[in-house]
Amino acid sequence: MAILHTTSTSVIEKSNWNQSHTIEDSTLTTAMYAASSITTDKISTTLVSLVASSEDPAAATTLTISGLDGDTHGIYDVSGRVIKDGTSGTVGVRLNGDTGGNYNNRYRVIGSGGAGDVAANDITYMRLVEPTQVCDASGFVAFNFRVIAKPGQKRRILGQSNYSQTSQVTLLFTEEWTNTTTNLTSMAFIATSGDIGGTGTYIRIYAMP
């Protein structure tokens, strides 16, 4: 009788455990799906938003994208490609159209010569091409960088570019805009000689609050 009692109890306990285990798994799965849906929804609607863009603009010495609000947006993620118009030269970016010596940078070139690991202070624009080099006459400059746009400190820019200069060259850079107070409202992509823009030029700016 003791053995039968033990066996019966064991069967009941196993049945109860299986039932409980199944319920817990089902509840956990439902909770995971619910959490996943909420997280995905939040990312898509609040963390990243397209705030400005330009595609195939007419070639010009300066391509300006306005309507930004760094005080509100906080961080900008900037990606794209600009095309040279047939004149070789360098390409850069100015924030709020600032032409003063208010940019400091440090950069490293990968591929096709260049100055290696270099620092430069008090320059008049943020560089997308290493200063001892130029982009080919009918070449391109592709880029991705982030701007920490909130005021109160020097605005930091971190990123990379890739450009055609005999062969393709990659530039890794960290830069700063020394203005600590003015709201960041525009970015101007500039050519130091000739123009940039035209077919194939594509710029996107995303806000990451």
Side-chain angles (χ1 to χ4, degrees), residues 13-187:
E13 289 175 350
K14 184 175 181 181
S15 174
N16 285 340
W17 183 86
N18 284 338
Q19 183 180 12
S20 173
H21 186 66
T22 301
I23 292 170
E24 288 173 359
D25 275 356
S26 175
T27 303
L28 179 61
T29 301
T30 302
M32 287 175 66
Y33 276 119
S36 175
S37 297
I38 292 170
T39 303
T40 303
D41 201 38
K42 289 182 114 175
I43 289 174
S44 63
T45 58
T46 64
L47 293 188
V48 179
S49 59
L50 178 65
V51 294
S53 65
S54 179
E55 186 169 355
D56 299 335
T61 302
T62 301
L63 302 177
T64 300
I65 297 181
S66 56
L68 307 180
D69 184 355
D71 287 2
T72 299
H73 293 144
I75 299 174
Y76 289 117
D77 188 277
V78 185
S79 297
R81 175 184 61 201
V82 294
I83 307 298
K84 285 294 290 164
D85 69 335
T87 304
S88 62
T90 191
V91 176
V93 177
R94 288 188 172 125
L95 305 179
N96 281 10
D98 185 355
T99 60
N102 298 316
Y103 304 86
N104 302 324
N105 65 17
R106 188 171 187 89
Y107 51 86
R108 185 169 187 83
V109 176
I110 301 175
S112 191
D117 192 1
V118 178
N121 296 325
D122 305 320
I123 56 178
T124 59
Y125 60 90
M126 173 185 134
R127 290 167 170 160
L128 296 180
V129 174
E130 194 275 324
T132 68
Q133 298 181 332
V134 293
C135 177
D136 289 341
S138 296
F140 67 91
V141 180
F143 50 84
N144 175 254
F145 58 88
R146 283 187 177 177
V147 181
I148 312 303
K150 283 282 189 182
Q153 295 288 332
K154 296 176 182 178
R155 262 50 81 85
R156 304 291 175 174
I157 302 101
L158 307 94
Q160 61 187 348
S161 62
N162 179 266
Y163 53 93
S164 53
Q165 197 270 331
T166 306
S167 60
Q168 289 190 33
V169 180
T170 295
L171 184 70
L172 307 178
F173 55 81
T174 59
E175 317 211 21
E176 65 181 14
W177 183 38
T178 59
N179 185 313
T180 62
T181 58
T182 306
N183 186 19
L184 174 56
T185 58
S186 68
M187 292 186 197

